[in-house]
Amino acid sequence: MLARRLVSFFKSSPFSKVSSSGSSANEEKGKSFARKAVSFVLITVTGGVALSALDDLAIYHGCSSKAMEKASKNQAVIDAIGEPIKKGPWYNAFLAVAHKRQSVSCTFPVSGPQGDGVLQFKAVRNGGDNRFSYVLPRDWEILIMEALLHVPRNEEKRQTLRINLLENIPPPACIACTECTPQQSENQEKK
């Protein structure tokens, strides 16, 4: 149906066929072409913006799901705001992508029965860039992650807690490089 509309849209205007004068037909044809060109450019730009927004939403969903998984397993966060921990709406989140969508910085609201707050993290994408990167889910490695939680205490003002969520995770094990062999310099071989 969309294809039919586009085809009929790009066909020549009926007004140009009806006019009897040759010069007015050419003017009408030029105006019709200009209208079609402007419409095509506007549709193309709108489509590009929509694709970019959908890609950003997919990035947000993938990263925030991984962050929520880590936050829901952290005992300090559970003690502060309780269980279950719920992610706030996507439209209250902040997302910044950089380096050809290979790194992301995100902040989004969370809430629990005892309080609320925000999770902030920076992550990088694992894997290479291919032509299906817009369609396939991405694997993100969270580099920095912290929670700023607002918890009411004994009818006082709300207390704000800053919890580093990656603090308890041990660094990856060091693996010796076995593929590289030390090379002797050319000067030592000549001597």
Side-chain angles (χ1 to χ4, degrees), residues 43-91:
I43 290 171
T44 304
V45 169
T46 303
V49 169
L51 279 176
S52 177
L54 287 174
D55 189 43
D56 287 350
L57 188 60
I59 289 171
Y60 166 73
H61 178 69
C63 291
S64 64
S65 296
K66 193 162 189 173
M68 282 298 294
E69 180 182 322
K70 289 181 186 272
S72 64
K73 292 179 182 177
N74 188 294
Q75 192 60 41
V77 174
I78 293 170
D79 293 342
I81 63 173
E83 280 187 301
I85 300 171
K86 296 180 183 176
K87 180 171 48 170
W90 63 267
Y91 50 81

Side-chain angles (χ1 to χ4, degrees), residues 16-131:
S16 63
K17 294 177 184 175
V18 174
S19 73
S20 59
S21 170
S23 64
S24 67
N26 288 338
E27 289 175 11
E28 190 66 37
K29 201 176 211 181
K31 287 180 183 178
S32 176
F33 179 75
R35 285 185 193 132
K36 290 176 185 177
V38 168
S39 297
F40 178 76
V41 168
L42 289 175
I43 290 171
T44 304
V45 169
T46 303
V49 169
L51 279 176
S52 177
L54 287 174
D55 189 43
D56 287 350
L57 188 60
I59 289 171
Y60 166 73
H61 178 69
C63 291
S64 64
S65 296
K66 193 162 189 173
M68 282 298 294
E69 180 182 322
K70 289 181 186 272
S72 64
K73 292 179 182 177
N74 188 294
Q75 192 60 41
V77 174
I78 293 170
D79 293 342
I81 63 173
E83 280 187 301
I85 300 171
K86 296 180 183 176
K87 180 171 48 170
W90 63 267
Y91 50 81
N92 285 341
F94 170 76
L95 181 76
V97 291
H99 304 291
K100 296 183 181 178
R101 300 193 181 277
Q102 296 291 322
S103 67
V104 65
S105 176
C106 184
T107 301
F108 64 92
V110 293
S111 63
Q114 300 169 2
D116 59 0
V118 294
L119 288 181
Q120 301 173 334
F121 64 90
K122 294 186 187 291
V124 293
R125 186 169 80 174
N126 292 333
D129 196 19
N130 58 23
R131 69 178 92 156

Side-chain angles (χ1 to χ4, degrees), residues 164-184:
N164 183 354
L165 297 173
L166 297 180
E167 195 170 78
N168 299 332
I169 299 174
C174 293
I175 300 172
C177 179
T178 57
E179 295 176 15
C180 302
T181 55
Q183 296 179 358
Q184 296 177 352

